[in-house]
Amino acid sequence: KAAELGDADAQYELSRLYEVGKGVEKDEWKVIHCLEEAAIGGHPIARNRLGRIEWNIGNTERAVKHCIIAAKLGDDDSTKMLMHMFRNGQVSKDDLASALRAHQAAVDATKSPQREAAEEYYRNRNV
């Protein structure tokens, strides 16, 4: 229901269900559709997955665009993909630098004393 109402997280989760066929019939096109809807809604992991799909089918230019957007939303894996693409000459130095600056800004925007205290608590709890 939430996916029907446009919730990006729900769209992403629905894509995963279609991917594995859990509770629904496996459907590659519905996976992509749900990922696209989630990405439009600002879901960074969905955007990253679209980049990987494009990369795997040889659409390098589209893969780069998806990864740049995902990196700017704070997705760590997309920055790694962009670094790899840069080393292969598929991303310009300027585009990489811009994406990395925006990624850092997105990460910094999520920092708070409460989040840092929670991370410290969980780090020490599992020692």
Side-chain angles (χ1 to χ4, degrees), residues 26-78:
K26 280 185 173 186
D27 189 323
E28 185 177 326
W29 294 111
K30 286 184 180 179
V31 170
I32 293 170
H33 173 74
C34 291
L35 286 173
E36 288 172 343
E37 292 295 317
I40 289 167
H43 198 285
I45 298 170
R47 183 67 71 173
N48 172 278
R49 292 209 37 225
L50 286 171
R52 288 183 182 279
I53 289 168
E54 294 293 351
W55 175 265
N56 289 337
I57 61 174
N59 291 337
T60 305
E61 188 174 318
R62 287 179 57 104
V64 168
K65 288 179 183 178
H66 283 301
C67 288
I68 287 173
I69 293 168
K72 289 180 177 184
L73 292 171
D75 184 65
D76 293 333
D77 287 339
S78 292

Side-chain angles (χ1 to χ4, degrees), residues 55 79-91:
W55 175 265
T79 60
K80 293 173 187 170
M81 284 182 65
L82 287 169
M83 297 286 272
H84 174 76
M85 292 173 183
F86 172 73
R87 285 191 293 275
N88 290 338
Q90 296 156 321
V91 175

Side-chain angles (χ1 to χ4, degrees), residues 101-120:
R101 281 192 301 274
H103 173 268
Q104 189 59 52
V107 169
D108 289 346
T110 64
K111 290 184 180 177
S112 71
Q114 294 86 358
R115 184 180 300 267
E116 290 173 10
E119 289 173 355
E120 181 69 21

Side-chain angles (χ1 to χ4, degrees), residues 91-107:
V91 175
S92 72
K93 185 176 182 178
D94 289 341
D95 285 344
L96 176 63
S98 173
L100 291 176
R101 281 192 301 274
H103 173 268
Q104 189 59 52
V107 169

